[in-house]
Structures are given as C-alpha cells and as structure tokens.
Amino acid sequence: MPQEKPAEPSREETSGVQGSGYDFSRCKLCAAYASHPKYQLEKTTVYACAACGFHFIDHLDCLPCESPGDATKTLDRRAREYIEGRLPASEKQLRKNLLLVKRHIALSGAHCLDIGAGAGLFAHLLAEAGAVVQGIEPQGVFREFARQRFDLALNGETIDARHWQQGFAGFFDVVTLWDVFEHVNLPAETLQDAYNVMKPGGWLFLDTPRRDALFYRISEWSYRLSGGANSRLLGSLYSPLPFRHKQIFTLRQLRTLVERIGFSVTSVHSSFFQPHNRMVLVCRKP
Ligand SMILES: [Zn+2]
C-alpha cells in the first residue's frame, strides 16, 4: 500500500509568514515528497530530492519581513556606507546585464520590472535607458537607499502579492531577476508569478549561481572526503540568515523549470569554470 502523503500545502501555507512550517521532505522544485538531509552544515542542512536531484536548505524567510521595529527599516550611516561601498562592483556587472537586455529589446518606453531590486541600481540604469521601471525589494533598508540615492520608489510587496498578480497581469515587457533566484523561498512559484505579469512576447532575464560547476563540486568532495567534518566550503554557499542563499540549481534543472512554466529559452550564458559559477538565462514568454 502506498505511503500516505500529507495534503498539498496551499500557496498561503508555503509562502506566507508561516513559512517556517514548511515540510522540507517536499521538494521545492518538483513537489515530490522525496527530499532528505544530505549535507549537515554548521548553520543549516542541505536537503536533496531523490526524484529530481534538487538541493535546498531547510529554511524559509518570514515574509513580509517588516514587523514593527524591524531593524531592516533603518538606513543609518553605517548601512548607507556599506551599501555605497558595494555599488561600484555591482555596477560593473549590472552594466553588462543592461547591455544584454538591450541586445534583445529597445528599452525606450518599455515596461520593466526588476524583482529583487536591492539598492535600486539596475532599476536606475533601466530608467536612464528610457524604460518605465518598477522594482520589488522586500528589505526596507534598500528601498530607503534607492529612494534617497536614485529617487526610486521600490515596492516592498513580493511578486506573489495581489498587487502584482491582479494589478499587473500580462503587463511587463521585461522582467529581471538578477542574483535573486537563489534567495527566494519558493523559486518555482516565483517564476510562475513572474510569468503571469509578463506580456506575451515579453523577455525574462535571470542569473543565479550554478551547482554543476567546479566550486560546488569541490565543496561536495571536501565534505565527503572528510566524512562531513569539513563543511566550510559548502557552508559558504548556503545560509539560513534572511535573504541569503536557499537553493542552487544545476543548469538542467533551471532550464527544465523555465520550460515547464512555459518560457522558451533564447540563450544561456555559462561556464563550468567561471569564477562565480554564474549562469544567465534569457527567456521569452510565447
Ligand atoms: Zn524534486
């Protein structure tokens, strides 16, 4: 007799403030109840799915994160200096990302949504290029920075919110998810939600670390060869802290997911040996 499985959790149960009640035996990618602890790290446990091979940690962020008195709301001098200090490095990458977007669509007048907008720099670059830009950033400290630095009003509501799903269904020409996909609670749902707010013919651009790349392999070897004693390298790839890395895809898993949702993949930019093991997907909604 087949083992009885728990009822499928609703979107509210898996994505809301009850997120910590998620049953991690349920794979966040394929939804099979086939995931088991694989790597016990110092601060978190990496689960692996026996059905699809997906790796994810046993932690979800509490969203919305802004309870009264939440420290993330405060953009004090230290926080501002920290964010400012990191801007030049990210600007270099984001300007490359902008060129990639421009190779696919003329931005003048295009409706763009940057999901996980952070300090607002990419949204700012899009606006400079003539796009009509909106951005989502759940952390208040970044929204405040974007307001002061770039005069941008980023939205704190995540893409699953009614504001986006009902108010902007089939609306955007471009959606970008730069360095975001590994951070979200439920990547498959996030991607479906992104699909919903895009126009037919709209473009999706995303980048995320790649698991089937050299650094991850070395980290796994190091863990296995030490019998789990050396979890430092793997531990540098995941974190249970808010808004940190919760899952890392292989290229095949990511490609399968975007196609399952209905996107067609236009191009993939990646390398096994790339220093940051980053992969970039350019996709189109038919
Ligand atoms: Zn799975």
Side-chain angles (χ1 to χ4, degrees):
M1 195 175 143
Q3 203 183 348
E4 198 171 299
K5 288 176 178 169
E8 191 85 344
S10 70
R11 285 295 290 274
E12 287 68 32
E13 281 170 329
T14 56
S15 63
V17 289
Q18 306 93 329
S20 56
Y22 185 83
D23 174 1
F24 290 98
S25 71
R26 179 182 189 262
C27 174
K28 296 205 301 181
L29 182 55
C30 75
Y33 284 88
S35 298
H36 305 281
K38 185 176 175 78
Y39 300 124
Q40 187 61 58
L41 310 181
E42 198 183 325
K43 292 177 182 145
T44 189
T45 301
V46 178
Y47 275 64
C49 174
C52 75
F54 192 50
H55 285 193
F56 58 99
I57 63 167
D58 59 343
H59 172 84
L60 297 183
D61 290 334
C62 244
L63 289 171
C65 60
E66 291 176 350
S67 52
D70 192 325
T72 60
K73 273 185 179 169
T74 320
L75 182 69
D76 55 18
R77 189 175 57 85
R78 235 179 109 195
R80 185 180 292 105
E81 283 173 4
Y82 176 79
I83 298 171
E84 279 284 353
R86 291 169 62 110
L87 278 185
S90 76
E91 177 164 2
K92 203 174 157 200
Q93 182 59 55
L94 291 174
R95 286 199 178 275
K96 284 185 196 167
N97 294 356
L98 183 70
L99 288 178
L100 179 68
V101 174
K102 281 178 165 176
R103 283 214 296 272
H104 293 85
I105 182 170
L107 282 174
S108 182
H111 287 280
C112 299
L113 176 65
D114 189 30
I115 299 177
L121 181 54
F122 192 72
H124 172 70
L125 295 176
L126 286 171
E128 267 189 347
V132 183
V133 186
Q134 300 197 53
I136 296 176
E137 176 45 55
Q139 294 185 263
V141 67
F142 286 111
R143 289 203 305 277
E144 182 55 22
F145 182 92
R147 189 186 68 75
Q148 292 181 16
R149 179 74 147 74
F150 301 119
D151 196 24
L152 278 170
L154 302 177
N155 194 308
E157 288 184 277
T158 48
I159 189 66
D160 57 312
R162 188 170 299 155
H163 170 79
W164 299 110
Q165 294 300 306
Q166 293 186 4
F168 292 91
F171 181 78
F172 290 102
D173 300 293
V174 174
V175 169
T176 48
L177 284 152
W178 300 125
D179 193 21
V180 168
F181 214 49
E182 64 277 24
H183 299 260
V184 300
N185 279 342
L186 300 166
E189 284 79 352
T190 297
L191 208 53
Q192 179 66 60
D193 292 336
Y195 185 91
N196 297 343
V197 299
M198 289 169 62
K199 274 182 195 160
W203 293 93
L204 175 87
F205 299 83
L206 78 85
D207 74 344
T208 188
R210 180 172 173 180
R211 202 185 93 209
D212 51 330
L214 196 56
F215 187 80
Y216 202 97
R217 295 273 168 85
I218 292 170
S219 306
E220 288 184 301
W221 292 331
S222 161
Y223 183 95
R224 283 197 207 115
L225 291 172
S226 68
N230 189 356
S231 63
R232 205 168 44 83
L233 291 178
L234 271 177
S236 72
L237 296 170
Y238 291 104
S239 169
L241 293 174
F243 306 108
R244 303 289 286 278
H245 291 187
K246 298 175 186 63
Q247 56 264 325
I248 303 181
F249 284 77
T250 64
L251 174 55
R252 187 181 58 78
Q253 287 167 346
L254 183 59
R255 203 182 168 118
T256 303
L257 174 62
V258 296
E259 289 174 346
R260 185 177 95 199
I261 284 168
F263 289 105
S264 60
V265 177
T266 301
S267 60
V268 176
H269 311 260
S270 178
S271 156
F272 182 81
F273 297 105
Q274 216 175 18
H276 300 294
N277 302 322
R278 179 175 172 264
M279 54 183 167
V280 183
L281 260 68
V282 180
C283 306
R284 199 152 197 203
K285 178 173 178 173

